[in-house]
Amino acid sequence: MNAFNVSEHMQALGLQAKTAAFLMARADAASKNTALKALARRLREAGPVLSVANQKDLERATAAGLSAPMVDRLKLTPKVIETVAQGCEQLAGMADVIGEIIGMKQQPSGIRVGQMRVPIGVFGMIYESRPNVTIEAASLAIKSGNAAILRGGSEAIESNKALALLVSEALAEPGLPVEAVQLVQTTDREAVGRLIAMPEFVDVIIPRGGKGLIERISRDAKVPVIKHLDGNCHVYVDDSAEFDMALRIVDNAKTQKYSPCNAAEGLLVSAAVADDFLPEIAAIFAAKGVEMRCDPAAAAILRADGALDPKAKVVDAVESDWSEEYLAAVISIKVVAGVDEAIAHINRYSSHHTDAIVTRDHVHAQRFLREVDSASVMVNASTRFADGFEFGLGAEIGISTDKFHARGPVGIEGLTSLKYVVLGQGEVRS
Amino acid sequence: MNAFNVSEHMQALGLQAKTAAFLMARADAASKNTALKALARRLREAGPVLSVANQKDLERATAAGLSAPMVDRLKLTPKVIETVAQGCEQLAGMADVIGEIIGMKQQPSGIRVGQMRVPIGVFGMIYESRPNVTIEAASLAIKSGNAAILRGGSEAIESNKALALLVSEALAEPGLPVEAVQLVQTTDREAVGRLIAMPEFVDVIIPRGGKGLIERISRDAKVPVIKHLDGNCHVYVDDSAEFDMALRIVDNAKTQKYSPCNAAEGLLVSAAVADDFLPEIAAIFAAKGVEMRCDPAAAAILRADGALDPKAKVVDAVESDWSEEYLAAVISIKVVAGVDEAIAHINRYSSHHTDAIVTRDHVHAQRFLREVDSASVMVNASTRFADGFEFGLGAEIGISTDKFHARGPVGIEGLTSLKYVVLGQGEVRS
């Protein structure tokens, strides 16, 4: 290996990104959409090339003994490629929000004041395994008029390089700067340390990966981080919940998929309906093999004679269960006195990601929406809906569990800022 | 002095603030407005008490040899008190934005998704000298439904303690938690270090003060900081500018007051009009004793025979002049080829605070608004308007020169976040 200097490489990427960001900020909507459509076309045409690059990653991963699910995530199948290509086309079809001016109002002095939506500038994206994230991040950067520096996982480096080349070609078609989207060309870990500590070039960092990675980046970053930690989501079944709806929602929130961050990890049931509701939902969980970690009240109901199939997994919950993100066929269950205790429990133990109430009571619904301090709060809907696409954002760069800047699913608007625009006719301050 | 433990004191303030924040978030508009009006009333009634406390600070400041302007800033005059009392009443009269739901739209799945404006939680405010900031911060905390921990300057501690007592009494009147606004009771500097490093209790830090203080806080804070560094603001006089308007705006932007961050520090003039415009504005500056730091082209024009009063201060600019925030009767002047060079110069040297163009050219105006990367961009208006009150925000907790979260003057909305609200009728994810 030749004497590759990571620090110099990152410095160069930063400077180029900053320059490209100014050009992207003034790019017109047509050019950005042309690049997105070109990227979709090139992705579909490049199947064989991508396959060769991807094969190298897969062979290295298998040789290194990566688990089957990990290897699976690495795969650039025709289906994965078609999905990201369609994503690019969808973005191209969306209205451009850059330059939009909101809230323009005349002030007593005569000046008119509003806010214009503009790109943030340069974002750094740090992610693992799945190479399709390279295209998702690139296409969002193009549409939002930002520049991006992408640092993918070392296990996907060949696939990511092949994809990044397609992005460069697509940017060049309408004459946009190819440095608007750059892939870090080294798998050296020092590159991450540099990327998160260049406030002169990078405006925000978006990490996607395990909690350890995200905590480390948040701790060491010298720029803001849009981060997503745990997804310890709850469904609260209120006194007045319709049972059919509550069963459907709790079942979907827990079992439709176990691994997503918006899957429910905790079930709270109002004492008024626990005797009737718990055996019904427990029967569904038992049939699907979901382990139930119960507080004493819930356990007593489920262990009562005849309440449940003997093979149902009813376990006594311990304190740590209320905070845990299982991402598995496990759910914590607690009987609460009512909506007050439900809100208090959620605000104490939830990860402030997504929490839902099932109720017919308007006052309880309003209180839950207002008082639960989470990024997404829901009435009579499954927590699984907490997603940029389901929320109508068109795309998602990540989900934020912070309150600052962007909260919840982050789409194009989360990659923008609002600057004040003042239109005068010669007014001066007196 | 007894064994006062700063760390324990800050920990206690943090815990109490967090608890109070939950209660403030659910407080109704009427209670918050009652507290604000009570605060206004108590401020007016407390004149003699405040005067005694303020006198102690003033005597200590004089004894310590503080400069006359510094002592002036400390003064709680009847006029200062009346101004902050009126500010509280204005806030009480404003609509409550907490709980507002925006952008509610139905998605293909059937769920309706919008965003609800909610308080950030707890903000920490670090400021110097002027004790009226205590009331400004307290009243904004109350209106926005946040809790605040206030750390004022040690030189104003007696005044701040007296003011904070009034705030507690005002909060208690409608039954709001008195811990919603707490003043740090020690002048120990360790308290600042603790305040900015309690992410478990404090959601955001707002520093107001010298650049050194703000840089130190930004570097060491473990939570987001809404910060305002330099105000190196520009006025660009375009080819098509109306001279009367341009003279009025440049004069106002530079000389109406020298110390504010939104005063102009740089004048750019299009080469097409420089020969005619520069002598006229220079005559105004000469009459007011404003020193002009000129690039060679501007200097040549102003030094031409008969162009200017011989007592005008025309000085050759050096590179550092383009970046400097003088906050004094000094302005840098540069002749540029046109709007392109003006935008490039501003994006390179400006502090991204506030920049204005004077023009009749629609295309130039639009390009300036879109391409100048500053928190406030203006057409045909004085930079001095960059202010929360002038922008119609009703109040201002500070001005942000960052792009993240809040940019430009920060009012109540900057102290809030948007959480997603989902209203369903039993929808589940398929």
PDB file of all heavy atoms in Angstrom, chain B residues 267-297:
ATOM      1  N   LEU B 267     -18.869  47.977   3.269  1.00  0.00           N
ATOM      2  CA  LEU B 267     -19.646  48.542   2.153  1.00  0.00           C
ATOM      3  C   LEU B 267     -19.021  48.051   0.860  1.00  0.00           C
ATOM      4  O   LEU B 267     -17.818  48.189   0.651  1.00  0.00           O
ATOM      5  CB  LEU B 267     -19.602  50.075   2.219  1.00  0.00           C
ATOM      6  CG  LEU B 267     -20.109  50.828   0.972  1.00  0.00           C
ATOM      7  CD1 LEU B 267     -21.601  50.577   0.736  1.00  0.00           C
ATOM      8  CD2 LEU B 267     -19.851  52.340   1.115  1.00  0.00           C
ATOM      9  N   LEU B 268     -19.852  47.464   0.008  1.00  0.00           N
ATOM     10  CA  LEU B 268     -19.404  47.044  -1.318  1.00  0.00           C
ATOM     11  C   LEU B 268     -20.155  47.888  -2.332  1.00  0.00           C
ATOM     12  O   LEU B 268     -21.364  48.083  -2.205  1.00  0.00           O
ATOM     13  CB  LEU B 268     -19.718  45.556  -1.539  1.00  0.00           C
ATOM     14  CG  LEU B 268     -19.132  44.588  -0.502  1.00  0.00           C
ATOM     15  CD1 LEU B 268     -19.642  43.167  -0.757  1.00  0.00           C
ATOM     16  CD2 LEU B 268     -17.610  44.610  -0.529  1.00  0.00           C
ATOM     17  N   VAL B 269     -19.423  48.395  -3.328  1.00  0.00           N
ATOM     18  CA  VAL B 269     -20.056  49.252  -4.331  1.00  0.00           C
ATOM     19  C   VAL B 269     -19.711  48.736  -5.721  1.00  0.00           C
ATOM     20  O   VAL B 269     -18.540  48.435  -6.005  1.00  0.00           O
ATOM     21  CB  VAL B 269     -19.594  50.726  -4.178  1.00  0.00           C
ATOM     22  CG1 VAL B 269     -20.277  51.609  -5.211  1.00  0.00           C
ATOM     23  CG2 VAL B 269     -19.898  51.232  -2.774  1.00  0.00           C
ATOM     24  N   SER B 270     -20.731  48.614  -6.562  1.00  0.00           N
ATOM     25  CA  SER B 270     -20.500  48.163  -7.930  1.00  0.00           C
ATOM     26  C   SER B 270     -19.630  49.187  -8.669  1.00  0.00           C
ATOM     27  O   SER B 270     -19.851  50.404  -8.555  1.00  0.00           O
ATOM     28  CB  SER B 270     -21.835  47.999  -8.654  1.00  0.00           C
ATOM     29  OG  SER B 270     -21.601  47.725 -10.018  1.00  0.00           O
ATOM     30  N   ALA B 271     -18.659  48.699  -9.441  1.00  0.00           N
ATOM     31  CA  ALA B 271     -17.732  49.583 -10.164  1.00  0.00           C
ATOM     32  C   ALA B 271     -18.475  50.569 -11.068  1.00  0.00           C
ATOM     33  O   ALA B 271     -18.024  51.702 -11.277  1.00  0.00           O
ATOM     34  CB  ALA B 271     -16.759  48.733 -10.999  1.00  0.00           C
ATOM     35  N   ALA B 272     -19.640  50.132 -11.555  1.00  0.00           N
ATOM     36  CA  ALA B 272     -20.390  50.976 -12.487  1.00  0.00           C
ATOM     37  C   ALA B 272     -20.848  52.293 -11.854  1.00  0.00           C
ATOM     38  O   ALA B 272     -21.061  53.282 -12.561  1.00  0.00           O
ATOM     39  CB  ALA B 272     -21.600  50.207 -13.030  1.00  0.00           C
ATOM     40  N   VAL B 273     -21.009  52.292 -10.524  1.00  0.00           N
ATOM     41  CA  VAL B 273     -21.514  53.500  -9.855  1.00  0.00           C
ATOM     42  C   VAL B 273     -20.551  54.056  -8.807  1.00  0.00           C
ATOM     43  O   VAL B 273     -20.852  55.054  -8.154  1.00  0.00           O
ATOM     44  CB  VAL B 273     -22.902  53.241  -9.207  1.00  0.00           C
ATOM     45  CG1 VAL B 273     -23.942  52.930 -10.279  1.00  0.00           C
ATOM     46  CG2 VAL B 273     -22.831  52.110  -8.180  1.00  0.00           C
ATOM     47  N   ALA B 274     -19.412  53.405  -8.655  1.00  0.00           N
ATOM     48  CA  ALA B 274     -18.494  53.781  -7.566  1.00  0.00           C
ATOM     49  C   ALA B 274     -18.016  55.223  -7.678  1.00  0.00           C
ATOM     50  O   ALA B 274     -17.939  55.944  -6.674  1.00  0.00           O
ATOM     51  CB  ALA B 274     -17.305  52.813  -7.536  1.00  0.00           C
ATOM     52  N   ASP B 275     -17.674  55.659  -8.904  1.00  0.00           N
ATOM     53  CA  ASP B 275     -17.162  57.030  -9.080  1.00  0.00           C
ATOM     54  C   ASP B 275     -18.151  58.069  -8.560  1.00  0.00           C
ATOM     55  O   ASP B 275     -17.757  59.090  -7.999  1.00  0.00           O
ATOM     56  CB  ASP B 275     -16.889  57.302 -10.571  1.00  0.00           C
ATOM     57  CG  ASP B 275     -15.574  56.676 -11.018  1.00  0.00           C
ATOM     58  OD1 ASP B 275     -14.652  56.573 -10.184  1.00  0.00           O
ATOM     59  OD2 ASP B 275     -15.484  56.273 -12.197  1.00  0.00           O
ATOM     60  N   ASP B 276     -19.426  57.815  -8.786  1.00  0.00           N
ATOM     61  CA  ASP B 276     -20.435  58.785  -8.373  1.00  0.00           C
ATOM     62  C   ASP B 276     -20.884  58.584  -6.920  1.00  0.00           C
ATOM     63  O   ASP B 276     -21.110  59.538  -6.187  1.00  0.00           O
ATOM     64  CB  ASP B 276     -21.666  58.689  -9.290  1.00  0.00           C
ATOM     65  CG  ASP B 276     -21.298  59.058 -10.723  1.00  0.00           C
ATOM     66  OD1 ASP B 276     -20.443  59.953 -10.896  1.00  0.00           O
ATOM     67  OD2 ASP B 276     -21.840  58.430 -11.656  1.00  0.00           O
ATOM     68  N   PHE B 277     -21.038  57.306  -6.537  1.00  0.00           N
ATOM     69  CA  PHE B 277     -21.621  57.043  -5.218  1.00  0.00           C
ATOM     70  C   PHE B 277     -20.637  57.265  -4.069  1.00  0.00           C
ATOM     71  O   PHE B 277     -21.001  57.825  -3.023  1.00  0.00           O
ATOM     72  CB  PHE B 277     -22.160  55.606  -5.167  1.00  0.00           C
ATOM     73  CG  PHE B 277     -22.827  55.282  -3.865  1.00  0.00           C
ATOM     74  CD1 PHE B 277     -24.107  55.744  -3.586  1.00  0.00           C
ATOM     75  CD2 PHE B 277     -22.178  54.539  -2.879  1.00  0.00           C
ATOM     76  CE1 PHE B 277     -24.727  55.464  -2.372  1.00  0.00           C
ATOM     77  CE2 PHE B 277     -22.790  54.262  -1.666  1.00  0.00           C
ATOM     78  CZ  PHE B 277     -24.066  54.718  -1.414  1.00  0.00           C
ATOM     79  N   LEU B 278     -19.407  56.808  -4.251  1.00  0.00           N
ATOM     80  CA  LEU B 278     -18.466  56.831  -3.116  1.00  0.00           C
ATOM     81  C   LEU B 278     -18.225  58.227  -2.539  1.00  0.00           C
ATOM     82  O   LEU B 278     -18.246  58.398  -1.308  1.00  0.00           O
ATOM     83  CB  LEU B 278     -17.144  56.149  -3.496  1.00  0.00           C
ATOM     84  CG  LEU B 278     -17.189  54.616  -3.436  1.00  0.00           C
ATOM     85  CD1 LEU B 278     -15.869  54.013  -3.918  1.00  0.00           C
ATOM     86  CD2 LEU B 278     -17.487  54.141  -2.008  1.00  0.00           C
ATOM     87  N   PRO B 279     -17.989  59.259  -3.376  1.00  0.00           N
ATOM     88  CA  PRO B 279     -17.790  60.585  -2.773  1.00  0.00           C
ATOM     89  C   PRO B 279     -19.000  61.054  -1.971  1.00  0.00           C
ATOM     90  O   PRO B 279     -18.849  61.693  -0.923  1.00  0.00           O
ATOM     91  CB  PRO B 279     -17.534  61.477  -3.997  1.00  0.00           C
ATOM     92  CG  PRO B 279     -16.992  60.542  -5.040  1.00  0.00           C
ATOM     93  CD  PRO B 279     -17.741  59.261  -4.831  1.00  0.00           C
ATOM     94  N   GLU B 280     -20.198  60.689  -2.419  1.00  0.00           N
ATOM     95  CA  GLU B 280     -21.390  61.133  -1.687  1.00  0.00           C
ATOM     96  C   GLU B 280     -21.504  60.477  -0.312  1.00  0.00           C
ATOM     97  O   GLU B 280     -21.748  61.140   0.695  1.00  0.00           O
ATOM     98  CB  GLU B 280     -22.661  60.847  -2.510  1.00  0.00           C
ATOM     99  CG  GLU B 280     -22.789  61.750  -3.733  1.00  0.00           C
ATOM    100  CD  GLU B 280     -24.218  61.757  -4.285  1.00  0.00           C
ATOM    101  OE1 GLU B 280     -25.182  61.839  -3.488  1.00  0.00           O
ATOM    102  OE2 GLU B 280     -24.365  61.662  -5.517  1.00  0.00           O
ATOM    103  N   ILE B 281     -21.329  59.139  -0.287  1.00  0.00           N
ATOM    104  CA  ILE B 281     -21.432  58.471   1.024  1.00  0.00           C
ATOM    105  C   ILE B 281     -20.251  58.865   1.906  1.00  0.00           C
ATOM    106  O   ILE B 281     -20.380  58.995   3.138  1.00  0.00           O
ATOM    107  CB  ILE B 281     -21.556  56.931   0.869  1.00  0.00           C
ATOM    108  CG1 ILE B 281     -21.908  56.272   2.219  1.00  0.00           C
ATOM    109  CG2 ILE B 281     -20.270  56.292   0.340  1.00  0.00           C
ATOM    110  CD1 ILE B 281     -23.274  56.596   2.745  1.00  0.00           C
ATOM    111  N   ALA B 282     -19.081  59.086   1.261  1.00  0.00           N
ATOM    112  CA  ALA B 282     -17.889  59.446   2.046  1.00  0.00           C
ATOM    113  C   ALA B 282     -18.061  60.810   2.705  1.00  0.00           C
ATOM    114  O   ALA B 282     -17.535  61.048   3.801  1.00  0.00           O
ATOM    115  CB  ALA B 282     -16.653  59.424   1.151  1.00  0.00           C
ATOM    116  N   ALA B 283     -18.787  61.683   2.056  1.00  0.00           N
ATOM    117  CA  ALA B 283     -19.032  62.996   2.654  1.00  0.00           C
ATOM    118  C   ALA B 283     -19.852  62.849   3.940  1.00  0.00           C
ATOM    119  O   ALA B 283     -19.590  63.509   4.949  1.00  0.00           O
ATOM    120  CB  ALA B 283     -19.756  63.894   1.654  1.00  0.00           C
ATOM    121  N   ILE B 284     -20.835  61.948   3.884  1.00  0.00           N
ATOM    122  CA  ILE B 284     -21.640  61.692   5.086  1.00  0.00           C
ATOM    123  C   ILE B 284     -20.765  61.092   6.186  1.00  0.00           C
ATOM    124  O   ILE B 284     -20.796  61.532   7.341  1.00  0.00           O
ATOM    125  CB  ILE B 284     -22.810  60.736   4.747  1.00  0.00           C
ATOM    126  CG1 ILE B 284     -23.796  61.431   3.804  1.00  0.00           C
ATOM    127  CG2 ILE B 284     -23.507  60.254   6.012  1.00  0.00           C
ATOM    128  CD1 ILE B 284     -24.896  60.535   3.262  1.00  0.00           C
ATOM    129  N   PHE B 285     -19.975  60.096   5.802  1.00  0.00           N
ATOM    130  CA  PHE B 285     -19.096  59.453   6.798  1.00  0.00           C
ATOM    131  C   PHE B 285     -18.093  60.461   7.365  1.00  0.00           C
ATOM    132  O   PHE B 285     -17.801  60.463   8.568  1.00  0.00           O
ATOM    133  CB  PHE B 285     -18.342  58.268   6.171  1.00  0.00           C
ATOM    134  CG  PHE B 285     -19.192  57.044   5.970  1.00  0.00           C
ATOM    135  CD1 PHE B 285     -18.866  56.105   4.984  1.00  0.00           C
ATOM    136  CD2 PHE B 285     -20.316  56.796   6.756  1.00  0.00           C
ATOM    137  CE1 PHE B 285     -19.634  54.959   4.808  1.00  0.00           C
ATOM    138  CE2 PHE B 285     -21.094  55.662   6.581  1.00  0.00           C
ATOM    139  CZ  PHE B 285     -20.754  54.737   5.605  1.00  0.00           C
ATOM    140  N   ALA B 286     -17.556  61.317   6.488  1.00  0.00           N
ATOM    141  CA  ALA B 286     -16.579  62.313   6.946  1.00  0.00           C
ATOM    142  C   ALA B 286     -17.215  63.224   7.983  1.00  0.00           C
ATOM    143  O   ALA B 286     -16.620  63.516   9.039  1.00  0.00           O
ATOM    144  CB  ALA B 286     -16.047  63.112   5.764  1.00  0.00           C
ATOM    145  N   ALA B 287     -18.446  63.646   7.702  1.00  0.00           N
ATOM    146  CA  ALA B 287     -19.125  64.559   8.620  1.00  0.00           C
ATOM    147  C   ALA B 287     -19.370  63.914   9.978  1.00  0.00           C
ATOM    148  O   ALA B 287     -19.392  64.583  11.008  1.00  0.00           O
ATOM    149  CB  ALA B 287     -20.449  65.009   8.004  1.00  0.00           C
ATOM    150  N   LYS B 288     -19.538  62.569   9.980  1.00  0.00           N
ATOM    151  CA  LYS B 288     -19.808  61.871  11.243  1.00  0.00           C
ATOM    152  C   LYS B 288     -18.541  61.261  11.844  1.00  0.00           C
ATOM    153  O   LYS B 288     -18.613  60.536  12.848  1.00  0.00           O
ATOM    154  CB  LYS B 288     -20.851  60.768  11.009  1.00  0.00           C
ATOM    155  CG  LYS B 288     -22.211  61.324  10.572  1.00  0.00           C
ATOM    156  CD  LYS B 288     -23.311  60.282  10.592  1.00  0.00           C
ATOM    157  CE  LYS B 288     -24.644  60.924  10.213  1.00  0.00           C
ATOM    158  NZ  LYS B 288     -25.769  59.987  10.232  1.00  0.00           N
ATOM    159  N   GLY B 289     -17.412  61.502  11.196  1.00  0.00           N
ATOM    160  CA  GLY B 289     -16.153  61.001  11.746  1.00  0.00           C
ATOM    161  C   GLY B 289     -15.947  59.509  11.578  1.00  0.00           C
ATOM    162  O   GLY B 289     -15.230  58.871  12.355  1.00  0.00           O
ATOM    163  N   VAL B 290     -16.574  58.922  10.568  1.00  0.00           N
ATOM    164  CA  VAL B 290     -16.401  57.488  10.340  1.00  0.00           C
ATOM    165  C   VAL B 290     -15.152  57.245   9.489  1.00  0.00           C
ATOM    166  O   VAL B 290     -15.015  57.799   8.392  1.00  0.00           O
ATOM    167  CB  VAL B 290     -17.632  56.885   9.616  1.00  0.00           C
ATOM    168  CG1 VAL B 290     -17.398  55.399   9.298  1.00  0.00           C
ATOM    169  CG2 VAL B 290     -18.882  57.065  10.459  1.00  0.00           C
ATOM    170  N   GLU B 291     -14.256  56.423  10.021  1.00  0.00           N
ATOM    171  CA  GLU B 291     -13.035  56.086   9.285  1.00  0.00           C
ATOM    172  C   GLU B 291     -13.354  55.077   8.190  1.00  0.00           C
ATOM    173  O   GLU B 291     -14.071  54.101   8.430  1.00  0.00           O
ATOM    174  CB  GLU B 291     -12.022  55.493  10.261  1.00  0.00           C
ATOM    175  CG  GLU B 291     -10.713  55.098   9.621  1.00  0.00           C
ATOM    176  CD  GLU B 291      -9.745  54.539  10.659  1.00  0.00           C
ATOM    177  OE1 GLU B 291      -9.641  55.126  11.763  1.00  0.00           O
ATOM    178  OE2 GLU B 291      -9.125  53.504  10.369  1.00  0.00           O
ATOM    179  N   MET B 292     -12.789  55.314   6.974  1.00  0.00           N
ATOM    180  CA  MET B 292     -13.070  54.438   5.837  1.00  0.00           C
ATOM    181  C   MET B 292     -11.817  53.640   5.472  1.00  0.00           C
ATOM    182  O   MET B 292     -10.812  54.205   5.096  1.00  0.00           O
ATOM    183  CB  MET B 292     -13.547  55.282   4.646  1.00  0.00           C
ATOM    184  CG  MET B 292     -14.898  55.934   4.913  1.00  0.00           C
ATOM    185  SD  MET B 292     -15.318  57.281   3.748  1.00  0.00           S
ATOM    186  CE  MET B 292     -14.698  58.711   4.659  1.00  0.00           C
ATOM    187  N   ARG B 293     -11.893  52.320   5.604  1.00  0.00           N
ATOM    188  CA  ARG B 293     -10.775  51.434   5.251  1.00  0.00           C
ATOM    189  C   ARG B 293     -11.026  50.943   3.828  1.00  0.00           C
ATOM    190  O   ARG B 293     -11.876  50.072   3.616  1.00  0.00           O
ATOM    191  CB  ARG B 293     -10.710  50.249   6.226  1.00  0.00           C
ATOM    192  CG  ARG B 293     -10.691  50.662   7.699  1.00  0.00           C
ATOM    193  CD  ARG B 293      -9.320  50.541   8.301  1.00  0.00           C
ATOM    194  NE  ARG B 293      -9.319  51.006   9.685  1.00  0.00           N
ATOM    195  CZ  ARG B 293      -9.254  50.205  10.759  1.00  0.00           C
ATOM    196  NH1 ARG B 293      -9.166  48.895  10.598  1.00  0.00           N
ATOM    197  NH2 ARG B 293      -9.244  50.716  11.967  1.00  0.00           N
ATOM    198  N   CYS B 294     -10.289  51.495   2.882  1.00  0.00           N
ATOM    199  CA  CYS B 294     -10.633  51.324   1.468  1.00  0.00           C
ATOM    200  C   CYS B 294      -9.696  50.395   0.714  1.00  0.00           C
ATOM    201  O   CYS B 294      -8.488  50.382   0.964  1.00  0.00           O
ATOM    202  CB  CYS B 294     -10.613  52.691   0.778  1.00  0.00           C
ATOM    203  SG  CYS B 294     -11.852  53.809   1.439  1.00  0.00           S
ATOM    204  N   ASP B 295     -10.259  49.634  -0.232  1.00  0.00           N
ATOM    205  CA  ASP B 295      -9.415  48.891  -1.162  1.00  0.00           C
ATOM    206  C   ASP B 295      -8.823  49.911  -2.138  1.00  0.00           C
ATOM    207  O   ASP B 295      -9.243  51.084  -2.155  1.00  0.00           O
ATOM    208  CB  ASP B 295     -10.227  47.796  -1.871  1.00  0.00           C
ATOM    209  CG  ASP B 295     -11.066  48.328  -3.012  1.00  0.00           C
ATOM    210  OD1 ASP B 295     -11.539  49.480  -2.909  1.00  0.00           O
ATOM    211  OD2 ASP B 295     -11.273  47.607  -3.996  1.00  0.00           O
ATOM    212  N   PRO B 296      -7.823  49.529  -2.958  1.00  0.00           N
ATOM    213  CA  PRO B 296      -7.143  50.521  -3.813  1.00  0.00           C
ATOM    214  C   PRO B 296      -8.104  51.293  -4.727  1.00  0.00           C
ATOM    215  O   PRO B 296      -7.966  52.517  -4.888  1.00  0.00           O
ATOM    216  CB  PRO B 296      -6.168  49.657  -4.633  1.00  0.00           C
ATOM    217  CG  PRO B 296      -5.867  48.499  -3.736  1.00  0.00           C
ATOM    218  CD  PRO B 296      -7.152  48.213  -3.012  1.00  0.00           C
ATOM    219  N   ALA B 297      -9.094  50.615  -5.298  1.00  0.00           N
ATOM    220  CA  ALA B 297     -10.008  51.303  -6.218  1.00  0.00           C
ATOM    221  C   ALA B 297     -10.830  52.368  -5.497  1.00  0.00           C
ATOM    222  O   ALA B 297     -10.980  53.502  -5.974  1.00  0.00           O
ATOM    223  CB  ALA B 297     -10.933  50.277  -6.884  1.00  0.00           C
TER     224      ALA B 297
END
